[in-house]
Amino acid sequence: MLRMVRRIPRKKGSWDRGIDYNTAYSLILRHINRPVTQKSRAYAAVALVQLRNGSRVSEAVRAVQRWLQTGESIVEVPLSKNKKPRTRQMVIPREVEQYRDELVWLLQVDEKKLIDRVKYFCLEHLGFSSHSLRYAYVTYLAKNNVPPTIIAKITGHRNLSHLITYTEQKEAEQVLKELG
């Protein structure tokens, strides 16, 4: 059963839809704990890994697959969109760990298909793109006074100036809201 979700508009020229980290976390958790299907739990689990690590969806898919192979809750995955081979550590949230046996089938799914299915799940069931989860985490860290250099290390951002511009824009918008 497909359920239509009101889509949150994005700013022109941006992936960011202003998704709040805690709201997204609660929404995804609801899909993990009370799924309509086993597949929806699996796709929500990948989305939660993506949100919790501020990663790209491809990195979250690789992290979940690596976790399913090794059983380790902190895994090393290759970064996407890098010319030089680099890796980053990603954490598997405790809320996902309890469903490990139920998620093993994800190892049989082609990585590209799984990425596409998670993207579709986020749009259709959560109402925003999977990439918005990455920005929700960046914004969450910035609001908690984590320096941009550390945010870049955590999220695997190469271009610090892009990250600083984004976090400063978010901070400026917040200041304007508080003054108005």
Side-chain angles (χ1 to χ4, degrees), residues 80-128:
S80 299
K81 294 185 124 183
N82 266 306
K83 292 175 185 164
K84 290 183 191 176
R86 289 182 23 205
T87 61
R88 67 178 283 198
Q89 285 189 337
M90 291 182 62
V91 175
I92 305 300
R94 286 183 299 276
E95 297 88 346
V96 173
E97 288 181 351
Q98 64 183 322
Y99 298 110
R100 186 171 186 272
D101 292 341
E102 190 179 321
L103 301 176
V104 172
W105 67 272
L106 290 174
L107 289 171
Q108 308 305 315
V109 181
D110 173 70
E111 183 180 301
K112 172 86 173 93
K113 284 183 182 176
L114 185 52
I115 290 167
D116 290 342
R117 290 173 184 171
V118 173
K119 286 179 178 181
Y120 179 81
F121 172 82
C122 287
L123 280 172
E124 291 302 313
H125 296 276
L126 303 177
F128 46 81

Side-chain angles (χ1 to χ4, degrees), residues 23-37:
T23 302
Y25 192 87
S26 297
L27 185 60
I28 295 168
L29 211 53
R30 195 174 323 135
H31 281 274
I32 290 173
N33 293 329
R34 286 185 255 129
V36 174
T37 66

Side-chain angles (χ1 to χ4, degrees), residues 5-10 16-19 126-129 132:
V5 175
R6 185 178 75 82
R7 293 184 197 262
I8 299 168
R10 68 182 168 103
D16 181 30
R17 293 184 187 247
I19 306 300
L126 303 177
F128 46 81
S129 73
S132 293

Side-chain angles (χ1 to χ4, degrees), residues 39-58:
K39 287 182 179 182
S40 70
R41 174 174 282 144
Y43 304 149
V46 173
L48 187 61
V49 170
Q50 183 182 4
L51 176 67
R52 169 58 180 80
N53 292 277
S55 72
R56 293 176 178 87
V57 68
S58 57

Side-chain angles (χ1 to χ4, degrees), residues 162-179:
H162 172 73
L163 187 65
I164 290 172
T165 300
Y166 174 78
T167 55
E168 285 176 345
Q169 179 65 37
K170 284 294 175 190
E171 191 173 330
E173 290 170 5
Q174 187 61 37
V175 167
L176 279 174
K177 283 180 187 176
E178 290 172 3
L179 291 174

